[in-house]
Amino acid sequence: MRIFVLGTGATGSLIARLLVRQGHQVTCGDRDPERARRFLGKRSGIPIKQVNARNLWSIAKAARGSHLIVNCSPAVLNKIVLRAALRLRTHYLDTASHQTDTPFHAEQLRFSKQFLAKRRAAVINAGAAPGLTNLLVARSADLLDGLEAVQVRLYESTGSDEPVSQWSSDGAFDEAVSRPPVYRDGRFHFGNRFGEREAFRFPRPVGRVGVLLAAQDEVVTLPRFLKLRELDVKIGGNDFERLRRLYRQGRLRKSSGAGKRFPQTPTPRQMEKLLSGGLLYHARFAAAVVAVGRKDDHHAMVRYDASFPSLHQIRRREVYTSPIAWATAHMAALFVKHFPRTVPGVHPPEALPAKARQAILAGARAYGISVRQRLSLQEVIDDEE
């Protein structure tokens, strides 16, 4: 397949390399080709085109002849890139939503009829969180006779002597300034920013961590495709606590822009220097999904724990990137590998065909992403309940 990867930063460059390994013909596009080359590596033979992702015609010109556009640009540009894909009659994939006009509805879903008419498929939110987390919620629904409530819990932590961004500054800024959506009693609401602190126990070596409400895309798609009544996403770890401190100090404003508060994502060469110089000494990323429902006349709980390679484990593979970028890129590559080309429309991960979802989960384990499942049956449901 001929694939055009738009946005060649830490995640997009790694996705491009993984897709080449899968045997695809890959071209990259970025507003700054020189910086994109630093992420891809000077020895990489992947061609790079200069593209203004805010201009539909610039995207269409660069991606002409492609079978699939992989959108790794900031999520605020999703609608422009979706229109470019429709203009070119190509398939489409991205890793995140940007709910601004309609905060409880992923903007990509508005294009479903147009993709159906063009007989093309779009897979949205196809990363680690969202992405893998959506698949684990859907798998929990498959295991239970009825799904009631879901908790998605994430852990992001970086140990460094100076601020280091695990993922894009634009993405971190959007998450920090957005009100977190929650789904309670069958309805969408806004939660308090950095609110509802609770203690959550992740598997070792993370352990017990305080987690807080976060603006995550799982909340705005899962209730539309799976029957449930409660859903929220919370994040813990020192990266998220740093955002909370900035918010409480009044230093997070939409008008301030991401660049003033968040460091730019380091290139692989910069990451190597930070590691060898001892300025960056650890980083971890973990995800958990807890689903409560009914099974065989019992109250039941399904829990999934996903563990990703740590910073040093990734370094031993001679890859210089953060655990979040690594996880997102590898999951996105799996979504491409099992892309539903024959199923037109716009699909979040939970709406993919069951065989595709199962294959992606199996591929995640093959990549070294540990996914552990635990199903526990509790008391018998009383007939009068």
Side-chain angles (χ1 to χ4, degrees):
M1 202 165 35
R2 292 190 298 274
I3 301 176
F4 183 74
V5 178
L6 179 62
T8 319
T11 302
S13 61
L14 183 51
I15 290 173
R17 295 199 297 270
L18 291 170
L19 295 179
V20 168
R21 292 180 195 173
Q22 289 181 12
H24 299 291
Q25 183 181 333
V26 179
T27 301
C28 289
D30 198 273
R31 65 181 178 181
D32 186 346
E34 291 185 9
R35 182 173 181 270
R37 179 59 65 193
R38 290 196 292 272
F39 276 101
L40 281 172
K42 293 182 179 179
R43 296 182 181 179
S44 172
I46 300 173
I48 305 171
K49 296 182 179 180
Q50 187 169 24
V51 182
N52 177 6
R54 297 182 180 276
N55 185 290
L56 185 152
W57 297 107
S58 179
I59 300 169
K61 180 181 178 181
R64 185 174 290 118
S66 301
H67 299 123
L68 169 68
I69 294 177
V70 176
N71 178 15
C72 297
S73 59
V76 68
L77 304 176
N78 283 349
K79 290 185 285 187
I80 300 172
V81 188
L82 281 157
R83 292 188 183 105
L86 288 166
R87 175 73 61 175
L88 294 172
R89 297 182 65 91
T90 67
H91 300 292
Y92 171 91
L93 180 142
D94 67 32
T95 61
S97 297
H98 188 264
Q99 310 109 37
T100 51
D101 300 335
T102 53
F104 301 128
H105 199 285
E107 72 279 1
Q108 304 101 310
L109 294 175
R110 301 182 201 170
F111 293 82
S112 190
K113 289 183 179 179
Q114 294 168 265
F115 273 89
L116 282 167
K118 298 282 187 179
R119 297 183 181 179
R120 294 296 181 267
V123 177
I124 66 171
N125 300 346
L132 175 59
T133 47
N134 300 61
L135 295 178
L136 296 178
V137 175
R139 181 60 182 151
S140 301
D142 292 340
L143 293 173
L144 297 172
D145 298 329
L147 186 62
E148 293 293 335
V150 173
Q151 297 176 337
V152 178
R153 300 294 182 259
L154 308 174
Y155 176 78
E156 305 168 2
S157 179
T158 305
S160 60
D161 289 341
E162 57 185 59
V164 176
S165 177
Q166 278 219 47
W167 48 305
S168 83
S169 57
D170 294 293
F173 181 74
D174 280 346
E175 182 177 72
V177 300
S178 299
R179 297 177 65 187
V182 297
Y183 192 68
R184 301 276 166 79
D185 198 24
R187 292 186 177 184
F188 290 103
H189 304 276
F190 278 125
N192 294 325
R193 290 186 180 94
F194 303 99
E196 299 185 24
R197 179 184 288 275
E198 68 178 58
F200 187 84
R201 185 174 296 279
F202 291 91
R204 293 180 180 177
V206 177
R208 191 178 181 88
V209 175
V211 293
L212 301 156
L213 281 178
Q216 284 284 125
D217 301 324
E218 294 92 334
V219 177
V220 298
T221 64
L222 283 164
R224 300 185 185 280
F225 293 88
L226 300 176
K227 187 177 180 180
L228 51 84
R229 295 189 62 79
E230 308 280 338
L231 172 64
D232 62 31
V233 182
K234 296 183 180 182
I235 301 179
N238 64 5
D239 292 352
F240 204 64
E241 290 290 347
R242 180 169 66 91
L243 295 181
R244 175 176 172 269
R245 287 195 297 272
L246 290 173
Y247 172 72
R248 295 188 69 181
Q249 292 166 6
R251 297 165 64 188
L252 289 180
R253 296 286 185 272
K254 289 188 177 182
S255 60
S256 65
K260 296 180 180 180
R261 297 298 178 202
F262 300 93
Q264 293 298 309
T265 308
T267 65
R269 179 61 178 159
Q270 290 169 334
M271 183 75 80
E272 183 181 7
K273 288 183 177 179
L274 289 169
L275 284 163
S276 60
L279 299 176
L280 174 61
Y281 34 89
H282 83 77
R284 290 190 180 278
F285 176 49
V289 167
V290 180
V292 177
R294 304 180 306 280
K295 186 175 180 63
D296 298 332
D297 297 325
H298 285 76
H299 292 292
M301 182 184 75
V302 179
R303 172 163 174 161
Y304 282 98
D305 287 292
S307 300
F308 306 93
S310 68
L311 180 68
H312 291 292
Q313 289 170 330
I314 294 170
R315 183 188 187 187
R316 285 198 289 270
R317 302 181 187 197
E318 297 185 353
V319 178
Y320 292 92
T321 191
S322 71
I324 293 178
W326 188 96
T328 302
H330 281 74
M331 288 306 306
L334 285 170
F335 279 100
V336 172
K337 184 176 182 178
H338 302 285
F339 195 88
R341 298 175 69 175
T342 60
V343 186
V346 178
H347 314 288
E350 63 271 22
L352 292 174
K355 286 186 178 180
R357 290 190 276 112
Q358 292 166 6
I360 294 167
L361 287 174
R365 294 183 175 94
Y367 269 143
I369 298 172
S370 171
V371 180
R372 299 179 183 178
Q373 178 209 83
R374 186 170 74 241
L375 170 63
S376 57
L377 299 179
Q378 299 167 353
E379 72 271 19
V380 177
I381 297 175
D382 193 311
D383 290 338
E384 295 182 359
E385 288 189 27

